[in-house]
Amino acid sequence: MKKFVTLLLAALMVLSVVACGGAKEPETYEIAMVTDIGTIDDKSFNQGTWEGIVAYCEEKNITHKYYKPAEGTTDACLAAIELAVENGAKVVVTPGFLFEETIFKAQDMYPEVTFIFIDGEPHSGDYTEYRIEDNVLSIYFAEEQVGFMCGYFAVKGGHTNLGFMGGMAVPAVVRFGYGYVQGAEAAAKELGIEEINMNYYYTGNFDATPEAQAKAAAWYEGGTTIIFGCGGAVGNSVMAAAEADEGRYVIGVDGDQSGESETVVTSAMKGLGAAVEYALEKYYAGEFPGGQIMTRDAADNGVRMPVESTKLDNFTEEAYNALYAKLADGSIVVKADDAGDSPEVFASEIIKIVYEK
Amino acid sequence: MEDYVVEMLHITKEFPGIRANDDITLQLRRGEIHALLGENGAGKSTLMSVLFGLYQPDSGEIKKDGETVRIDDPNDANALGIGMVHQHFKLVHNFTVLQNIVLGVESTRHGLLKMDQARKRVLALSEQYGLRVEPDALISDITVGMQQRVEILKMLYRDNDILIFDEPTAVLTPQEIDMLMEIMRGLAKEGKSILFITHKLNEIMAVADRCTVLQRGRCIGTVDVKDTTREELSRMMVGRPVELELKKNEAHPGETALEVRGLSMWNRNRRKKLLDNINFHVRKGEIVCLAGIDGNGQSELIYALAGLRPIDEGTILLSGQDITRASVRKRNDSGLAHIPEDRHKDGLVLDYTLEENLVLKRYHTPAFQKHGFLDFRAIRENAERLIDAYDVRSGQGAATTVRSMSGGNQQKAIIAREVDTGSEVLLAVQPTRGLDVGAIENIQRELLNLRDQGRAILLVSLELEEVMSLPDRILVIYEGQIVAELDPKTVTSQELGLYMAGSKREEVVG
Amino acid sequence: MKKKLVSLIDSPGFLSAMSSISAIVLGLLFGFLILLISNPGQAVQGLGIILQGGFSGGAKGIGQVLYLATPIIMTGLAVGFAFKTGLFNIGTPGQFIVGAYVAIYIGVKWTFLGGVQWIVALLGATVAGGLWALIPGILKAYLNVHEVIASIMMNYIGMYTVNMLIKRTVYNSLKNQSMNVAATAEIPRFGMDKVFVNVKGNLMDTSTVNGGFFIAIAAAVVIYILLNKTKFGYELKACGANRFASRYAGINEKRTIVLSMVISGMLAGLGGGLLYLSGANGRHISVIDVLAEEGFNGISVALLGLNNPIGIVFSALFIAYITLGGNYLQRLAFMPEVINIIIAVIIYFAALSLVVRQVIMYLRRRREQRAAVKAAASEGGAQE
């Protein structure tokens, strides 16, 4: 026992000496990100946002750091922001609508700090007051546009039995899905297809669960050939189900997920990093568009499909660019989440929607 | 130069805090029966563990036939021809006698057992030493006495010539004890050397040639048995003179305090009756002893009386009141005290302090609690009174954790608690088990005192001496039935043994 | 004077405190080792921040310590109480979350209760936790099913049932969590919002802590009295220490086992109520398939507190304090994930205090025995 303690203390001393000679860490961090309940490598929201920050800051040599709240409450998120500010943050980036109440308070508490808020807008806890101050920029994405493109090219690629498996029915997920249905219908009309079957379901969380996988497997079993796995790790469940069967495919979400599984034929990508970089650029240029709620859409490259890695039949870069241009210039308008509470509003002669609650 | 077959010279073995063996010398002559006498904790088991290589002595040496040897494990001891009959036999119950004997030293041909040869040898050995075993009987079917002879045969079969018997008579009837003594003498005559570990003076006087006495880890001396007396041996063992004969007044039994009618209990799967139509009564002012070989239903009967195990038929009356279905608490409160067989399991909460244990049966009474809150002052006073009255010794008095107390003082605490309840009926199960001679004497005297005060005592004892000396009446229990009621003044221990072994029975006693 | 000191050192309370403190020191030592490995340059500074704990966050930080301590005081009491009575209640996560759900349900739906809504909600949580522990208690007492197995099962049943019930009754689908409780169901602040607050401009950055902390302290005191001063506590502890002797003494040990489990479950359930009856800024039950960590942390708290109710309050405060210290460690260049490991290491080593206690007792006994042997030896020498 004594020997062990001695050994331990000796090791500590040696390491302490090493410690003193170690590299100097910065004292303050200018750009801060506060993560939501997920981890920094969630292959989704946190990761995409963080990659944008890293890309910009490393290029411009600006100090940056991410903070994790102690728990998923508003108070804890505020504490994390406080920590970031005390640590010298001039800009705080927060991804995800869970920060809506937090930013609503933080914008007043730290008027000298700039907030870049992805996918949400500040409001009070009881939803009675929506207010955005000059130090906050809210950025939304036109998910319905990229959803539209995915649905369109899926049907163009010969799929007539489609599925949409969303995570929680949050606005962004809803927009992806609605666009997807509309895109499928548009392609069907062009090709003269008479019937498109569409399975539609929200799992209620952003986790890879056996339930989600079983549901996806059941759909594939029932003839569905492609499923849009839309919501964090839900996509991984769908991929696992697709891998078990021949000729079953998956559409990824948020980032390019073709690396996750062979079955991923394309992804509905949001330009999270690009949007953050854009906002940071504006901030350092002294033109920060504070107090605004902006939507990044096809017109400013806010959303896209990964042309290089897309493996759908009949998919060409020309066709993609043509469709993209139409979305960008407004000649195609995709309805978003204000279209209604249920995807069934898009049901038509052609689109048969089976919406499971 | 004497002819010593095994010598343990100046053995010292220290454990943290105690010197279990302190410079002990034990020399075993060829062909003698040598008794090793000592109370619990005197160092007998440690010494034997050293001999079998389970412990290495801190100093001292072991010689076999005059040569110094090193014994690292029991196999070494075996190779030197040393074998032991343990207090608890090490036999496989669903094997035959023969299979048990050859177990571990089987001779084979082409991987097949050669049992014929083994059988011949076992029969020859059995004949030679008068062991009378049936080689093809299953162990589970034979008596304890025969099981012990199988153990002896195991040693002989392995060519052991130094035989150690560890408290061999504890489980035997008087007849079986006599037979064992005979066998031991026979073995010695054939040149085997026997070491006989015991604390029973009569047996030493009957069979041993010499006796080495240990006391608190030290060797008091080795004496020739023919030159000594029981009194002398007990004085050496305890360190002070002990009265071996109990002084007993005439009993004056009064009215019936405990009565049992037609009590029966089945075992769990209802295949076997553990207790079969038990009828007896105990009167105030008498000690009734339930005698029998361990495992014949004594424990079950006491548990049934105490309410710890349900019965299937019969009635139990406590001072005329039917308590057959009463809870344990009800029985305790209506005047039933119980000194349990296993004091660590049933009798004490070892992690509680002495004072807490002394109110274990009475903490719920108004004397010790008010409105659900314990009255610690009353509890302390009660403890101090009992500690004083019963001379319970402990490190920190009433606040001592019972676990840290010696077995004798733990037992005294239980007796103090049970006697102090003033209950009319006392169930005393092996109240002197595992205690020193001095403590035994005190407890027996206390029981006689209580009897004279008019309590009714039901005693369960496995010690023949105690059965013969303490009670006023003896009930013999055999396989769950009461087979005889005997008067200790007139019965001989031989006769008692016949009843205990089931070979003789009276017709049912009221 | 010296005698007094020795008797203090030998007292069981001192021994307990010493073993807990040594365990904490051991934990910090190992935590520091990981700090050194992950970021040698800032390890010393990092240890400083951890030790500074909640004080780094000003008045709000201290409030947050109390807030984080509240639920784990309760689950710590639940585990410690059951331990004292010889039962290992590993079912606290289930009892905790079931209690939390009932509190939230009453807090959202039963607005007709007005000012006493929060009290009823807490009572509901307590009863629910108790009922959830009743099942393993009955199984243990009457069918001899080990309580660990039964209560682990009840943990999962509890979690999935609560997830299902939330979705059916009090679901905020947008956030995939339970709804906010009514204002009358929030536990009153008892003035703590005036004390534990950081002023930011014209805004108050208040701590989440509320009167629940006082309720937890009161629960600890009640349990202390129950265990040490009452007839019932005597019976409970006797059953825990020796079931057979309790039966022999006339204690109805089956009933005692069931009651012990139920009380333990009630404590955990109340803990759930105390944590979740806070405002919109506070905790909500997320509908995810994860067992409540507060339940398991109760085991560490109870171990560090050596199952003593008062010790449990302090150990819960310590664990909350060190957890928050870890949060502030993000100031330095430590990855939040590494910080989690460091804090976990400190807590788990601290939970070894029982082992440390045994080691201390062993060393002490050996020392005493050596002395005794030496004394005996010299005595023997004198005789010769």
Side-chain angles (χ1 to χ4, degrees), chain B residues 353-355 380 383 387 392-401 405:
Chain B
T353 58
L354 179 55
E355 60 184 354
R380 176 58 60 94
I387 288 169
V392 183
R393 293 186 197 168
S394 60
Q396 287 124 34
T400 315
T401 307
M405 290 167 49

Side-chain angles (χ1 to χ4, degrees), chain A residues 89-93 110-116 134-137 283 288:
Chain A
K90 291 181 186 161
V91 182
V92 175
V93 185
Y110 309 101
E112 73 288 359
V113 178
T114 302
F115 293 94
I116 299 171
D134 283 348
N135 58 339
V136 180
L137 168 64
Y283 172 78
F288 187 70

Side-chain angles (χ1 to χ4, degrees), chain A residues 162-286:
Chain A
L162 286 71
F164 175 82
M165 187 166 297
M168 283 156 60
V170 300
V173 171
V174 171
R175 287 196 291 270
F176 271 122
Y178 285 7
Y180 181 63
V181 180
Q182 295 170 64
E185 186 178 27
K189 277 182 185 154
E190 270 181 40
L191 296 172
I193 295 171
E194 285 175 4
E195 188 174 291
I196 299 283
N197 293 306
M198 175 72 74
N199 284 311
Y200 212 99
Y201 180 65
Y202 296 113
T203 62
N205 55 47
F206 290 124
D207 304 321
T209 60
E211 290 83 0
Q213 187 175 336
K215 171 79 71 185
W219 285 0
Y220 282 132
E221 194 76 12
T224 302
T225 51
I226 191 164
I227 297 176
F228 185 6
C230 182
V234 173
N236 296 79
S237 298
V238 179
M239 289 170 211
E243 279 161 8
D245 219 334
E246 278 292 306
R248 300 292 186 258
Y249 303 102
V250 182
I251 298 171
V253 77
D254 289 347
D256 180 358
Q257 292 192 307
S258 58
E260 299 270 308
S261 163
E262 277 296 302
T263 58
V264 176
V265 288
T266 189
S267 301
M269 292 169 65
K270 276 158 83 161
L272 289 165
V276 174
E277 281 185 67
Y278 161 83
L280 288 175
E281 233 161 62
K282 289 282 179 196
Y283 172 78
Y284 281 104

Side-chain angles (χ1 to χ4, degrees), chain C residues 19-270:
Chain C
S19 45
S20 292
I21 289 167
S22 324
I24 288 170
V25 170
L26 200 66
L28 289 172
L29 223 58
F30 273 87
F32 184 57
L33 201 66
I34 299 177
L35 284 171
L36 274 175
I37 293 165
S38 60
N39 180 359
Q42 293 181 319
V44 178
Q45 210 183 338
L47 187 67
I49 290 181
I50 291 179
L51 289 178
Q52 223 184 328
F55 290 114
S56 295
K60 179 185 176 184
I62 300 166
Q64 289 305 90
V65 170
L66 304 185
Y67 160 73
L68 289 177
T70 303
I72 56 178
I73 288 175
M74 295 309 302
T75 53
L77 282 176
V79 175
F81 179 81
F83 265 142
K84 280 264 183 192
T85 59
L87 297 166
F88 185 18
N89 179 10
I90 200 173
T92 42
Q95 295 140 17
F96 181 84
I97 207 68
V98 169
Y101 169 74
V102 170
I104 288 175
Y105 180 84
I106 296 174
V108 172
K109 302 277 183 184
W110 294 7
T111 43
F112 61 86
L113 289 168
V116 296
Q117 193 182 2
W118 66 277
I119 298 173
V120 175
L122 284 180
L123 289 176
T126 312
V127 170
L131 286 177
W132 214 249
L134 175 67
I135 298 165
I138 287 176
L139 288 174
K140 165 85 178 181
Y142 294 95
L143 299 169
N144 216 13
V145 175
H146 201 285
E147 74 275 11
V148 165
I149 295 167
S151 52
I152 285 178
M153 294 300 145
M154 292 302 288
N155 279 344
Y156 285 96
I157 298 171
M159 175 190 76
Y160 286 114
T161 309
V162 165
N163 282 353
M164 183 189 80
L165 287 175
I166 285 181
K167 283 196 168 177
R168 295 208 173 158
T169 54
V170 289
Y171 193 41
N172 174 349
S173 66
L174 198 58
K175 295 188 175 177
N176 190 36
Q177 64 185 25
S178 58
M179 287 160 38
N180 293 343
V181 296
T184 46
E186 287 176 26
I187 299 170
R189 299 279 186 144
F190 293 154
M192 290 180 109
D193 53 339
K194 304 284 186 295
V195 182
F196 301 111
V197 61
N198 289 350
V199 180
K200 296 276 172 203
N202 54 351
L203 263 156
M204 298 296 190
D205 186 10
T206 39
S207 162
T208 326
V209 70
N210 57 33
F213 180 70
F214 296 123
I215 296 173
I217 299 287
V221 172
V222 168
I223 291 300
Y224 179 83
I225 292 173
L226 178 70
L227 275 176
N228 295 306
K229 303 290 175 203
T230 68
K231 165 174 159 269
F232 183 48
Y234 179 93
E235 289 176 344
L236 286 168
K237 285 189 294 179
C239 266
N242 186 343
R243 210 177 146 172
F244 301 102
S246 308
R247 231 155 76 84
Y248 159 84
I251 297 169
N252 185 341
E253 103 275 17
K254 289 181 165 42
R255 182 179 141 258
T256 310
I257 286 171
V258 174
L259 276 176
S260 167
M261 271 311 271
V262 167
I263 292 173
S264 175
M266 284 167 75
L267 291 166
L270 176 59

Side-chain angles (χ1 to χ4, degrees), chain A residues 22-57:
Chain A
K24 214 68 195 133
E25 294 286 347
E27 292 293 310
T28 60
Y29 298 90
E30 202 165 311
I31 310 289
M33 175 180 143
V34 177
T35 63
D36 70 359
I37 42 179
T39 56
I40 196 71
D41 55 353
D42 60 356
K43 301 203 173 72
S44 174
F45 238 80
N46 288 320
Q47 187 173 353
T49 310
W50 180 237
E51 279 168 1
I53 295 172
V54 171
Y56 183 83
C57 293

Side-chain angles (χ1 to χ4, degrees), chain B residues 36-158:
Chain B
L36 183 59
L37 176 67
E39 296 191 306
N40 291 321
K44 292 175 294 186
S45 340
T46 308
L47 192 65
M48 287 306 109
S49 300
V50 168
L51 183 58
F52 276 85
L54 297 170
Y55 296 133
Q56 290 305 314
D58 298 331
S59 64
E61 61 176 336
I62 300 173
K63 284 185 179 174
K64 169 84 200 302
D65 299 326
E67 308 271 327
T68 300
V69 291
R70 186 178 164 79
I71 301 177
D72 285 324
D73 57 48
N75 291 336
D76 289 354
N78 233 319
L80 292 170
I82 305 172
M84 186 182 230
V85 175
H86 293 271
Q87 200 172 350
H88 303 283
F89 307 144
K90 302 189 182 313
L91 296 169
V92 182
H93 275 233
N94 50 358
F95 272 22
T96 63
V97 168
L98 183 61
Q99 285 167 332
N100 266 287
I101 291 169
V102 301
L103 190 65
V105 289
E106 306 91 341
S107 47
T108 56
R109 190 196 300 140
H110 312 307
L112 296 172
L113 287 171
K114 293 192 298 180
M115 290 303 259
D116 287 352
Q117 233 173 317
R119 179 192 305 276
K120 270 182 208 145
R121 232 189 113 210
V122 166
L123 285 171
L125 285 169
S126 172
E127 182 71 22
Q128 185 185 353
Y129 295 103
L131 295 174
R132 286 181 273 162
V133 297
E134 172 57 50
D136 296 317
L138 284 176
I139 295 295
S140 51
D141 293 342
I142 63 178
T143 64
V144 174
M146 199 187 292
Q147 290 181 12
Q148 190 172 52
R149 299 203 293 277
V150 174
E151 285 277 7
I152 297 169
L153 257 177
K154 262 168 80 179
M155 293 196 296
L156 298 172
Y157 188 81
R158 284 161 179 72

Side-chain angles (χ1 to χ4, degrees), chain A residues 1 4-5 8-9 11-13 15-16 18-20 22-27 29 37 39-41 65-76 78-80 82-83 86-87 97-98 100-101 104-105 108-110 123 125-127 168-171 203-207 209-211, chain C residues 26 29-30 32-33 36-37 39-45 56-57 60 64 67-68 160 167 171-177 180 189 198 200-209 275 280-284 286-289 293-294 324 327-337 340 359:
Chain A
M1 181 67 194
F4 172 71
V5 172
L8 186 73
L9 287 174
L12 281 176
M13 270 164 67
L15 276 167
S16 305
V18 174
C20 295
K24 214 68 195 133
E25 294 286 347
E27 292 293 310
Y29 298 90
I37 42 179
T39 56
I40 196 71
D41 55 353
K65 181 168 169 56
Y66 70 89
Y67 299 86
K68 218 177 147 165
E71 55 177 14
T73 63
T74 303
D75 280 333
L78 274 175
E82 181 181 11
L83 195 59
E86 280 176 7
N87 242 9
F97 69 94
L98 289 175
E100 288 177 344
E101 293 154 55
F104 182 76
K105 293 195 163 184
D108 295 333
M109 283 185 194
Y110 309 101
H123 64 74
D126 50 8
Y127 297 88
M168 283 156 60
V170 300
T203 62
N205 55 47
F206 290 124
D207 304 321
T209 60
E211 290 83 0
Chain C
L26 200 66
L29 223 58
F30 273 87
F32 184 57
L33 201 66
L36 274 175
I37 293 165
N39 180 359
Q42 293 181 319
V44 178
Q45 210 183 338
S56 295
K60 179 185 176 184
Q64 289 305 90
Y67 160 73
L68 289 177
Y160 286 114
K167 283 196 168 177
Y171 193 41
N172 174 349
S173 66
L174 198 58
K175 295 188 175 177
N176 190 36
Q177 64 185 25
N180 293 343
R189 299 279 186 144
N198 289 350
K200 296 276 172 203
N202 54 351
L203 263 156
M204 298 296 190
D205 186 10
T206 39
S207 162
T208 326
V209 70
L275 179 61
N281 286 359
R283 281 285 285 264
H284 300 75
S286 294
V287 182
I288 46 172
D289 298 344
E293 60 174 331
E294 286 82 3
L324 211 61
N327 192 35
Y328 292 118
L329 193 55
Q330 298 193 48
R331 283 215 178 122
L332 306 178
F334 288 99
M335 308 263 288
E337 289 72 18
N340 288 346
V359 169

